[in-house]
Amino acid sequence: MRIVAVYPGSFDPPTNGHLDIIERSSRMFAKVIVAVARNIRKDSMFTSAERVRMLRGLTSQWENVEVDSFNGLLVDYARKKEARVLVRGLRAISDFEYEFQMAHMNKKLAPEIDTIMLMTGERHSYISSNIVKEIAMFGGRIDDLVPPGVKDFVFKKMKGAGRK
Ligand code: COA
């Protein structure tokens, strides 16, 4: 069976941890759609179009990975794309409660769709997009946390905003 999976997230910006999850899920599913979503609880640094552009550049080597964005409910988007699986990365126990709630809520809204959690690679388990932005804002090194293209984009954006 050709299973289509959606990997949703805010990706603001994408990190090495996200790429690790994308690469591993691309080996498990016929197609993986990396879907840039709006998290209404977060203010974003990058526009949705910028995040899509970054992710397309980072994932071009995987033929079965597509990058898209959506508004509205994740399960409605997944249904539209005929996806049977939602992929999420789990970094630590602290992620579990939030992920548990989302997975159950999505299951209630769309019983035919399952959420699969992948353990984030050990060396990425302490990364978060907000931490990357904070370190960059204070002039710290983010080289090991994000791919080079993303690093340049983060610093360019901060310069544009007069922050660095
Ligand atoms: N490695 C490193 N960091 C990771 C990671 C990994 N593998 N996986 C997640 N993270 C980090 C992200 O960088 C992010 O950090 P931040 O909080 O500092 O920004 C954090 O973990 C979680 O982000 P992300 O995975 O991008 O998810 P999110 O919580 O921002 O996104 C949505 C949640 C967008 C999927 C959810 O809000 C959604 O589905 N929205 C659509 C509306 C909807 O359907 N709502 C009902 C849901 S039940």
Side-chain angles (χ1 to χ4, degrees), residues 39-148:
N39 184 334
I40 54 169
R41 282 164 287 208
K42 288 180 185 173
D43 288 328
S44 50
M45 169 180 265
F46 297 98
T47 64
S48 173
E50 286 169 334
R51 286 176 265 162
V52 166
R53 185 147 37 104
M54 281 188 268
L55 282 162
R56 285 205 176 125
L58 296 170
T59 59
S60 57
Q61 74 269 38
W62 299 303
E63 276 181 10
N64 62 338
V65 174
E66 252 178 56
V67 181
D68 193 12
S69 62
F70 71 97
N71 285 309
L73 277 184
L74 171 59
V75 289
D76 289 343
Y77 175 78
R79 275 182 174 144
K80 203 172 84 189
K81 294 289 174 179
E82 298 182 347
R84 292 247 333 268
V85 169
L86 304 174
V87 175
R88 295 285 292 166
L90 262 190
R91 289 167 300 172
I93 280 289
S94 50
D95 282 344
F96 184 77
E97 210 170 300
Y98 173 58
E99 296 297 337
F100 182 84
Q101 184 188 28
M102 271 210 305
H104 279 295
M105 192 49 77
N106 283 327
K107 189 77 183 161
K108 189 171 166 59
L109 294 168
E112 77 281 15
I113 298 176
D114 282 303
T115 300
I116 288 189
M117 312 276 178
L118 292 183
M119 288 294 171
T120 298
E122 204 180 351
R123 68 207 150 95
H124 306 304
S125 58
Y126 57 92
I127 307 178
S128 89
S129 299
N130 272 323
I131 282 189
V132 166
K133 286 181 277 191
E134 189 173 317
I135 294 172
M137 196 179 296
F138 293 113
R141 275 171 58 86
I142 56 170
D143 303 59
D144 296 338
L145 311 178
V146 295

